[in-house]
């Protein structure tokens, strides 16, 4: 229900992402076309959803962990799959602070589990750096997204050429 309500309102979604990124109330209203009164209403809505705690002087205290995950196949993940996915991958990933690689291989369950543990560690490190950088002025930070994924997968064109089991 939280996710459904957040994703249903573009401005609420934006303010939620800002809260996750330690963007202050003042920075939100100075950066985005959201009047102060409306921003307070949106923050109050996030407070009611237990996503943040709206404190005196419109200070924002995040109530969710920086390393939380959206629900698998939930409203936020579906939004990403339907709208943000293509936009995200439209980049050539050729700037110095960008990187993308697709590695293919065949792994045992043990090796796959080891990779998952390492990927989770990378996600935690990303979150820790994000928290450290929150002290910097907004002008010295830029929105970055880390996509880390591993899954059982075979290109559909290849799967269609598999021999059928007798």
């Amino acid at each position: 229900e939280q996710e459904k309500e957040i994703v249903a309102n573009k401005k609420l979604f934006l303010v939620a992402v800002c809260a996750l990124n330690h963007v202050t109330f003042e920075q939100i209203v100075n950066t985005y076309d959201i009047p102060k009164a409306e921003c307070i209403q949106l923050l109050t809505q996030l407070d009611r959803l237990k996503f943040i705690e709206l404190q005196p002087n419109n200070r924002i205290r995040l109530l969710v962990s920086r390393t939380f995950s959206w629900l698998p196949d939930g409203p936020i993940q579906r939004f990403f799959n339907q709208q943000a996915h293509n936009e995200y991958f439209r980049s050539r990933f050729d700037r110095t602070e960008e990187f993308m690689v697709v590695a293919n291989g065949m792994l045992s369950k043990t090796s796959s589990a080891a990779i998952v543990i390492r990927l989770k560690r990378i996600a935690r490190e990303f979150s820790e750096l994000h928290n450290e950088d929150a002290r910097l002025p907004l002008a010295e930070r830029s929105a970055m997204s880390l996509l880390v994924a591993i899954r059982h997968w075979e290109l559909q064109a290849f799967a269609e050429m598999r021999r059928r089991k007798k």
Side-chain angles (χ1 to χ4, degrees):
E1 292 304 309
Q2 274 182 319
E3 284 192 20
K4 227 186 264 185
E5 192 169 334
I6 289 171
V7 81
N9 180 330
K10 191 170 23 174
K11 286 184 180 178
L12 183 64
F13 196 9
L14 169 67
V15 172
V17 170
C18 285
L20 277 173
N21 288 318
H22 303 295
V23 179
T24 66
F25 170 79
E26 292 80 14
Q27 291 168 330
I28 294 170
V29 296
N30 289 334
T31 304
Y32 299 100
D33 188 21
I34 301 176
K36 286 182 179 185
E38 185 178 9
C39 191
I40 291 168
Q41 288 174 341
L42 295 166
L43 290 168
T44 301
Q45 194 172 350
L46 290 173
D47 182 278
R48 184 180 50 74
L49 289 170
K50 305 291 185 221
F51 189 82
I52 65 160
E53 179 184 310
L54 185 56
Q55 299 181 328
N57 299 317
N58 299 316
R59 287 191 344 272
I60 302 166
R61 180 174 165 259
L62 197 57
L63 294 179
V64 295
S65 164
R66 262 298 295 157
T67 56
F68 82 101
S69 297
W70 298 112
L71 294 172
D73 197 38
I76 303 282
Q77 193 174 67
R78 282 193 302 273
F79 169 85
F80 179 81
N81 289 340
Q82 293 166 358
Q83 296 183 37
H85 178 269
N86 290 336
E87 189 177 310
Y88 185 85
F89 286 107
R90 207 174 300 142
S91 173
R92 291 176 49 194
F93 293 92
D94 58 355
R95 295 177 8 195
T96 57
E97 71 276 6
E98 296 179 338
F99 176 73
M100 183 180 75
V101 65
V102 175
N104 292 297
M106 298 181 81
L107 300 176
S108 66
K109 287 186 179 198
T110 302
S111 295
S112 179
I115 291 293
V116 168
I117 288 168
R118 288 184 184 126
L119 293 175
K120 287 179 178 180
R121 186 175 61 233
I122 298 254
R124 280 192 311 273
E125 289 174 15
F126 178 89
S127 183
E128 289 165 6
L129 291 170
H130 163 77
N131 288 333
E132 288 174 22
D133 287 353
R135 295 181 211 113
L136 298 172
L138 191 58
E140 292 182 28
R141 300 181 286 147
S142 61
M144 301 288 288
S145 294
L146 172 67
L147 174 65
V148 177
I150 185 170
R151 62 174 282 229
H152 297 279
W153 179 73
E154 181 179 25
L155 191 64
Q156 183 65 36
F158 295 169
E160 290 170 0
M161 291 188 280
R162 280 185 172 264
R163 290 189 188 275
R164 302 282 176 218
K165 292 183 180 178
K166 293 181 181 178

